[in-house]
Amino acid sequence: MKSVVLAFLLAAVPATAMAADTAAGPVKDHSFTDADGHRVLRETIVVKASLDSVWKAYTTDAGFMRWAAPVAHITPGNNGMMESALEDGGKIGDPGNVLNRIDVYLPDSLIVFHNEHVPAGGPMDPATFASLRSMLAFEPAGDGFTRVTQTVIGFGESAKYDDLYRHLRDGNAAYLAAMAKSVPPEKTAQQ
């Protein structure tokens, strides 16, 4: 299951429907077209867990492997790397791994990344995918909840970008839901 979820995250295989409702809440689509006509893919989820717990789900090997990949290594920081093996039995450093370069790393707040390598044979053109920037913003949502917003920018005007937009719209919602389900709920002040 983890390799399938990772594939959603990295758009390496076709997206399929996955329930977006979680114990935390549904994934909400806030996508729009900016004033210059560029598409902006934006989806959010509110997770029933602390900011620290949700941040660690993305920025630690153990947290990422719990929901996204059977094998992963996260090197946090500006110019860091998120490396993931798509299959059980994979190893860090394998040439078929997915590599995402961390462009901006603001602890407990923001990760901006782009794809540097996706295995051949996926549903999109690697150069098209590499031209996008993904931003994950983390913010307290009150009473022990955390809001995660993923925004993807850089979509051009072509069939390749149209296909990638559709794929990521469904895949990102699925992986946000999977991440939310992987973080153990924490007691809130209302409980």
Side-chain angles (χ1 to χ4, degrees), residues 10 13 15 42 60 81 83-84 94 108-109 111 133 153 168 170 178 181 184:
L10 302 168
V13 298
R42 179 174 287 161
T60 66
M81 183 65 70
E83 180 177 355
S84 307
D94 284 351
D108 299 320
S109 298
I111 302 169
R133 294 299 177 266
I153 60 171
L168 290 175
D170 296 339
K181 289 179 181 181

Side-chain angles (χ1 to χ4, degrees), residues 25-139:
V27 174
K28 295 183 179 177
D29 188 334
H30 301 280
S31 300
F32 61 95
T33 302
D34 71 16
D36 293 324
H38 302 116
R39 291 175 285 183
V40 177
L41 177 59
R42 179 174 287 161
E43 295 168 302
T44 64
I45 191 166
V46 176
V47 183
K48 189 177 185 178
S50 69
L51 177 64
D52 182 63
S53 293
V54 176
W55 180 256
K56 287 178 180 174
Y58 284 93
T59 61
T60 66
D61 296 357
F64 200 74
M65 287 188 294
R66 191 169 55 239
W67 66 274
V71 178
H73 181 63
I74 312 298
T75 307
N78 294 328
N79 206 34
M81 183 65 70
M82 301 164 71
E83 180 177 355
S84 307
L86 288 175
E87 299 187 17
D88 292 328
K91 295 181 178 136
I92 295 304
D94 284 351
N97 289 354
V98 174
L99 302 174
N100 286 316
R101 175 69 59 193
I102 300 172
D103 301 310
V104 176
Y105 184 90
L106 180 60
D108 299 320
S109 298
L110 180 69
I111 302 169
V112 178
F113 64 92
H114 71 277
N115 180 264
E116 280 195 0
H117 176 75
V118 65
M124 88 300 284
D125 174 62
T128 303
F129 189 35
S131 71
L132 303 180
R133 294 299 177 266
S134 294
M135 298 171 274
L136 289 164
F138 303 79
E139 60 184 325

